[in-house]
Amino acid sequence: MKKIIALIGLLLAANSQAAVLSLSTDQTSYQVGDTVTLNIIGSDFAEVSAFDFDLLFDTTALTGGSLTGTDLNTGMNWFLNENFSASGLTLAFTAFDDLFTPQAVGMGNALLASVSFVAQTAGQFSLMFDSLTASFSDANFTPLNVDFNGLTVNVTDANAVPEPGSLALAALALFGLMGARRRA
């Protein structure tokens, strides 16, 4: 009986481990006009022959997205396509000859994509994966289990700096008050 319980526990533990797709940024908060560098990181992947997922975010708050880097360029015959749309970013990868294995290139984690945006408005903005449309496949085109972690980006307004004209007007008012006090 103990062996059966141990076997069931082992099977449940093996099935519960899934690859993880997560997001990270180079800073914790940004100001309007700053460049936000977002890293899409894959962890605990086995062999991957293809993936396709959507990253959803407020495209009016983070604009000008461009792919700036990836660990997928390790001499493989592959195709990576990014498509920026009104709702976010679609990223698709297909390996033709070789399989992408983070461990094969000496990494437990792999940078699937690094994307740069410009912060346009102040606020807290969520970036999340659309897990309903995401697909990951192994060498046999069998679907892989993947967990998704989102991220919130904090953008603040830059502190307002008084214009020189405002400072001059304030100084003129101060001198006017001083002059009126002397006359009285």
Side-chain angles (χ1 to χ4, degrees):
M1 185 66 171
K2 288 181 183 178
K3 290 181 181 180
I4 293 173
I5 292 172
L7 182 61
I8 291 171
L10 182 62
L11 289 173
L12 289 175
N15 288 337
S16 66
Q17 175 143 2
V20 178
L21 198 61
S22 59
L23 301 171
S24 70
T25 55
D26 55 341
Q27 297 176 179
T28 55
S29 68
Y30 298 88
Q31 291 185 351
V32 173
D34 284 353
T35 299
V36 177
T37 302
L38 176 72
N39 295 319
I40 303 171
I41 301 167
S43 305
D44 300 325
F45 278 94
E47 297 176 329
V48 177
S49 63
F51 62 73
D52 186 1
F53 60 85
D54 294 330
L55 177 66
L56 307 175
F57 57 92
D58 184 349
T59 57
T60 61
L62 300 172
T63 62
S66 63
L67 187 69
T68 57
T70 180
D71 284 338
L72 297 175
N73 57 355
T74 57
M76 298 177 1
N77 185 10
W78 54 270
F79 174 73
L80 179 66
N81 183 32
E82 78 271 4
N83 181 27
F84 292 91
S85 67
S87 61
L89 166 69
T90 298
L91 202 61
F93 166 81
T94 304
F96 297 112
D97 295 336
D98 302 317
L99 300 176
F100 173 65
T101 307
Q103 293 77 13
V105 289
M107 300 173 286
N109 298 333
L111 177 66
L112 300 182
S114 184
V115 185
S116 294
F117 302 98
V118 176
Q120 296 296 325
T121 57
Q124 288 190 339
F125 306 102
S126 295
L127 295 107
M128 65 190 105
F129 297 102
D130 185 355
S131 59
L132 297 176
T133 62
S135 67
F136 285 77
S137 303
D138 68 6
N140 298 320
F141 297 101
T142 304
L144 298 172
N145 292 328
V146 178
D147 291 332
F148 300 95
N149 296 330
L151 178 74
T152 300
V153 174
N154 200 15
V155 180
T156 59
D157 276 332
N159 294 333
V161 178
E163 295 182 21
S166 300
L167 292 175
L169 186 59
L172 185 60
L174 181 63
F175 288 128
L177 287 173
M178 289 173 50
R181 183 176 172 155
R182 284 190 180 176
R183 289 185 187 164

